[in-house]
Amino acid sequence: MTADTHRLSACPGCAEPVEPADLYCGACGLNLASAAVPEADTPTVALRTRDDAPPAAAAPGRTGARSSADGGAEPTTDGYVLQPPAPRAADPRASVAAPAAPRGADGQACVACRAGRVDGDGYCENCGHAQPRERDHMEQESGPVAAVSDRGLRHHRNEDAFALATASLPDGTPVSVAVVCDGVSSATRPDEASAAASRTAADTLREALPRGTHPQTAMHEAILAAARAVDALAGEPAGAREHAAQQNAPACTLVSAVVADGLLVVGWVGDSRAYWVPDDRSAPARLTEDDSWAAQMVAAGLMSEAQAYADERAHAITGWLGADAYELEPHTASFKPDRPGVVVVCTDGLWNYAEAAEQMAEILPADAAARPLHSARVLVGHALDGGGHDNVTVALVPFPGPGTGAGSG
């Protein structure tokens, strides 16, 4: 087995993060090629050729119709609650939380040996252990909306991102906004792409809605603005891309939801999804259709859904935000649910473990509308309990019901 195909994200001997090109672990010296094991991962990758694409088919119709306990943490000034997990054990399902490491006057203490000082590159000067990154686990609650993102148990970094926002329509009606993005793993700096796209889309919606722009029009404009933000990353100086000269331009998927005055609007590009789960659990539904190889095959009638998603090419996406994307086609749809419920906005790191709308409804806590942050933690925990093969991000947007307003208690 060659060095670029060992497929380990962490050393089995010491749990040090490793890259595909590493022959030996930099911390303990373990031969990674001999220690490699198959990994059942389904990262987000872009389908960059059309050799296998089906004949043109009509777009599938879009009609309106995957546990974790609460944990305490101190909020930071930007509204996020950062909870870096303990270093992953050799068995990715056996991660054991360590007590908080003490901090010395000269910097952060190592979470592994608890004695060494962490250098500027994020490694312990005593034992060499890589420290948890700020984005390894993120939580945020903004008004009635909440989101949680975790890097999962197999990846060395979190390439997902989210952004939440609240605003008001011109008449004062409150609006809730959630944007979730999944970095394309085969691209350069996918984590930067997802962060730029989610932030830009949320900012655009927060500015447009108070001006009276219709939510569906605002959603379309927000996706285009997010695409421009990701495109701009590819135009940075070559020096910023030297370490990844052979990779594709930064890219990500996007899914977003807006709840305003009895209206639910969703927008997306790629295979991140939005689900509608009524409080009474009657007729839950998936609100988005994937831009993916599998979805194309099903839409063209060339494969059944079971056959398509069993294929190794199933998760190759056919739409994404990025400078090397095909012609961008933002999808938007609006709905007027007749009862209260919750919109689940998530990456495939979650829906891989609860793909059908009925499965998503089954794992969503009954009090999700009242406790969205707790419920988002539960959903992320479900994905981690299932194996955590990918980064997992979920945002929950309560829909209070017709005529009650997005921010009603």
Side-chain angles (χ1 to χ4, degrees):
M1 182 176 294
T2 60
D4 61 349
T5 58
H6 63 64
R7 301 184 65 196
L8 293 170
S9 61
C11 173
C14 69
E16 177 76 3
V18 296
E19 298 292 343
D22 292 342
L23 289 169
Y24 299 92
C25 173
C28 70
L30 182 69
N31 186 327
L32 298 174
S34 63
V37 294
E39 183 176 333
D41 202 354
T42 55
T44 301
V45 295
L47 184 63
R48 304 200 179 257
T49 66
R50 291 183 171 175
D51 297 341
D52 298 314
R62 301 182 177 95
T63 59
R66 234 178 200 113
S67 87
S68 172
D70 281 330
E74 291 298 321
T76 64
T77 55
D78 61 2
Y80 285 93
V81 177
L82 305 177
Q83 297 176 314
R88 268 56 172 178
D91 178 354
R93 295 179 180 81
S95 178
V96 179
R103 295 174 181 266
D106 55 349
Q108 180 181 352
C110 174
V111 301
C113 72
R114 305 180 60 76
R117 188 179 69 86
V118 179
D119 64 21
D121 293 328
Y123 291 85
C124 174
E125 295 179 345
N126 179 51
C127 69
H129 195 100
Q131 305 301 294
R133 297 173 176 86
E134 182 177 287
R135 283 177 63 173
D136 281 358
H137 186 91
M138 300 185 295
E139 301 184 355
Q140 186 184 6
E141 193 165 26
S142 179
V145 194
V148 177
S149 182
D150 192 276
R151 71 177 170 96
L153 304 179
R154 300 297 183 95
H155 284 271
H156 72 284
R157 67 178 175 184
N158 189 358
E159 296 171 357
D160 288 357
F162 66 81
L164 309 179
T166 56
S168 299
L169 299 181
D171 65 359
T173 302
V175 180
S176 297
V177 174
V179 184
V180 168
C181 296
D182 185 353
V184 176
S185 298
S186 59
T188 304
R189 296 174 288 146
D191 53 333
E192 296 182 31
S194 63
S198 59
R199 180 175 59 249
T200 300
D203 288 346
T204 302
L205 287 164
R206 181 166 43 221
E207 294 169 3
L209 293 168
R211 297 198 303 261
T213 306
H214 189 277
Q216 193 165 357
T217 301
M219 181 69 77
H220 187 270
E221 294 174 352
I223 295 175
L224 294 178
R228 291 192 293 270
V230 178
D231 289 352
L233 296 177
E236 293 182 358
R241 306 193 303 273
E242 285 181 359
H243 67 288
Q246 303 305 314
Q247 290 187 301
N248 300 302
C252 67
T253 69
L254 180 149
V255 62
S256 179
V258 169
V259 168
D261 195 22
L263 186 67
L264 164 59
V265 174
V266 295
W268 73 99
V269 174
D271 64 348
S272 293
R273 295 179 176 181
Y275 292 83
W276 163 247
V277 182
D279 287 351
D280 60 9
R281 298 305 192 263
S282 61
R286 173 154 62 97
L287 306 178
T288 57
E289 294 288 345
D290 299 345
D291 290 321
S292 70
W293 182 91
Q296 277 195 347
M297 289 297 163
V298 174
L302 299 178
M303 286 184 172
S304 70
E305 189 168 358
Q307 289 173 325
Y309 280 96
D311 193 283
E312 62 181 5
R313 296 166 290 185
H315 284 266
I317 58 174
T318 58
W320 62 90
L321 306 182
D324 57 355
Y326 301 133
E327 184 177 352
L328 178 63
E329 181 188 353
H331 310 290
T332 63
S334 62
F335 310 91
K336 289 188 174 181
D338 62 357
R339 66 200 65 195
V342 174
V343 187
V344 180
V345 187
C346 63
T347 62
D348 60 349
L350 173 60
W351 68 251
N352 278 329
Y353 299 95
E355 185 170 351
E358 293 76 14
Q359 293 174 301
M360 191 66 73
E362 184 178 348
I363 66 171
L364 183 69
D367 60 353
R371 303 177 68 198
L373 181 57
H374 164 77
S375 299
R377 291 169 178 161
V378 169
L379 295 185
V380 169
H382 177 82
L384 299 180
D385 290 346
H389 294 299
D390 202 356
N391 306 147
V392 53
T393 301
V394 57
L396 299 181
V397 188
F399 181 88
T404 54
S408 305

